[in-house]
Amino acid sequence: MKNSNALAQVIKKSMQNMIIIGALAILILIFWALNPNFLGKFNIVSMAQSLAPYAIMGLGVTFVIATGGIDLSIGTTCIASAVIAGKLFMNGMPLGYTIPVMIAIGGLVGLINGLLVAKLKIPAFIATLGTMMFGRGLSAIIVSIPNIFFPGGTWFNKVFSNFNGVPVGLIWVLFFALICMYLMYKCKIGRYILSIGSNEEATRLSGIETDKYKIIAYLIAGIAAGIAAIFWAASFTTVASATGNGMELDAIAGVYIGGTSAAGGTASIAGSVIGAIMLVVIRSGLNFVLARFNLNVNSTYVTYVLTGIIVVVAVLMDVIKNKNSNKVKIDKKQKKEEKQA
């Protein structure tokens, strides 16, 4: 029975991912038909470079959303990590040291978020909104200059962004996705995180340290934001303190689009990556379409409109699915009770 339920879950996730991939393929074909330059080599590399930070942030925050929580600080954490490490580099720190610095800053913020939510019982929305605002202001004060410059054409760019025209960021995204799949589906970390999202009180009563695994979820999200900072710095060598505004919304939107339940308890690692790809494709495709037809409309605003619609539809479908699932469970329980009576 347990194996059949697990198989059903795998089939359901596979079908969901296939639907998202199909929608993505249709979007790509539409943008290509409207402007063939959309699938040009230069734009494919450009999309791949911009994908890596968002996809990695999305992979990290998937663990938080799976608990039924939210992390609004990941975008600010990403940029704050990059600008602080970049400032240290500009002051003479070796370039290689910026990598552990960015990861450490992200991990520290994630740990603080986890403690605020799990130990102090502050609602996740409020706790991470606070760390987002605090981090944005503090990083600007520490850096004290508007722009930070990372070097171009070095090993740093080739390893994390563009190696002779090859978007190596995609390889890194695949690597991190495999790690996240292992953590989510093969480790007790993932099982307990999903259990917390399904029913936190029942999980706690079963003897699991729910606070511990909530903290781990936020820690993973923070570390992912720090890793995303590496790819952002490697791809966009000029980093401004205010760049992170809204990045977290794009990453979170990609997770919802990918099929992770907003209520927690269900997570799709592959879906989070596909959702991030979809948002990058929409953003880039709209730029090409508007340019092709000389439409005097800001593509960023159109992207927000489409993303908002897609996210609402994705969450609405998740709500309907959960209602139907609960109804089926109730019906089965009633039939079982009637048979026993």
Side-chain angles (χ1 to χ4, degrees):
M1 184 70 178
K2 188 176 180 181
N3 290 334
S4 63
N5 288 337
L7 180 61
Q9 287 293 330
V10 170
I11 293 172
K12 188 182 292 185
K13 286 180 182 178
S14 298
M15 289 180 63
Q16 192 173 39
N17 288 338
M18 290 302 295
I19 292 171
I20 301 170
I21 291 171
L24 176 61
I26 292 170
L27 272 176
I28 291 172
L29 289 173
I30 290 172
F31 288 134
W32 174 71
L34 293 174
N35 191 334
N37 292 327
F38 171 69
L39 290 182
K41 181 181 177 181
F42 175 80
N43 190 49
I44 291 174
V45 172
S46 177
M47 285 193 294
Q49 286 178 319
S50 62
L51 168 68
Y54 289 103
I56 291 169
M57 278 193 291
L59 287 170
V61 82
T62 299
F63 287 83
V64 172
I65 294 174
T67 67
I70 194 74
D71 189 347
L72 299 177
S73 68
I74 51 173
T76 297
T77 301
C78 172
I79 297 303
S81 301
V83 296
I84 292 173
K87 174 73 175 207
L88 293 173
F89 165 73
M90 292 173 66
N91 288 343
M93 185 180 75
L95 181 60
Y97 289 5
T98 62
I99 296 172
V101 167
M102 285 187 261
I103 295 174
I105 292 172
L108 177 61
V109 176
L111 179 61
I112 292 171
N113 284 333
L115 291 171
L116 291 174
V117 174
K119 295 298 185 182
L120 298 183
K121 308 303 179 185
I122 299 174
F125 183 91
I126 301 300
T128 58
L129 177 63
T131 52
M132 177 186 76
M133 297 174 71
F134 178 81
R136 186 176 300 168
L138 182 63
S139 63
I141 292 170
I142 292 172
V143 173
S144 72
I145 54 178
N147 294 318
I148 292 296
F149 301 97
F150 283 85
T154 64
W155 63 267
F156 185 67
N157 312 98
K158 292 178 180 178
V159 170
F160 296 109
S161 180
N162 187 334
F163 185 79
N164 298 329
V166 178
V168 291
L170 290 179
I171 300 172
W172 282 104
V173 168
L174 178 60
F175 173 70
F176 287 121
L178 291 174
I179 292 176
C180 289
M181 284 180 180
Y182 176 77
L183 290 174
M184 184 68 81
Y185 306 128
K186 298 296 182 179
C187 287
K188 67 179 182 180
I189 289 174
R191 289 196 298 270
Y192 291 166
I193 283 173
L194 291 171
S195 180
I196 290 169
S198 295
N199 191 325
E200 183 175 352
E201 183 61 18
T203 304
R204 186 184 65 79
L205 292 173
S206 67
I208 296 169
E209 298 177 74
T210 55
D211 287 354
K212 173 184 174 181
Y213 289 97
K214 270 189 174 182
I215 292 171
I216 290 174
Y218 283 92
L219 181 61
I220 291 172
I223 291 173
I227 294 172
I230 299 169
F231 291 90
W232 189 272
S235 299
F236 310 102
T237 52
T238 301
V239 184
S241 298
T243 311
N245 298 352
M247 287 178 66
E248 64 283 336
L249 301 181
D250 287 338
I252 292 169
V255 175
Y256 288 148
I257 291 169
T260 295
S261 175
T266 303
S268 174
I269 297 297
S272 294
V273 176
I274 299 168
I277 295 172
M278 182 174 287
L279 291 178
V280 169
V281 166
I282 290 172
R283 186 181 297 110
S284 179
L286 286 172
N287 281 326
F288 275 83
V289 170
L290 294 176
R292 170 71 174 78
F293 295 99
N294 295 317
L295 298 175
N296 188 24
V297 181
N298 190 315
S299 63
T300 301
Y301 300 143
V302 181
T303 301
Y304 285 153
V305 171
L306 288 179
T307 302
I309 293 171
I310 293 171
V311 169
V312 170
V313 170
V315 174
L316 181 61
M317 288 175 65
D318 177 59
V319 170
I320 293 171
K321 181 180 69 176
N322 288 336
K323 281 185 177 180
N324 291 336
S325 178
N326 290 334
K327 186 178 179 181
V328 169
K329 288 179 181 178
I330 292 170
D331 290 343
K332 285 184 178 179
K333 186 177 179 180
Q334 288 177 344
K335 288 180 181 179
K336 186 176 180 181
E337 289 174 350
E338 288 174 359
K339 287 182 178 179
Q340 290 176 346

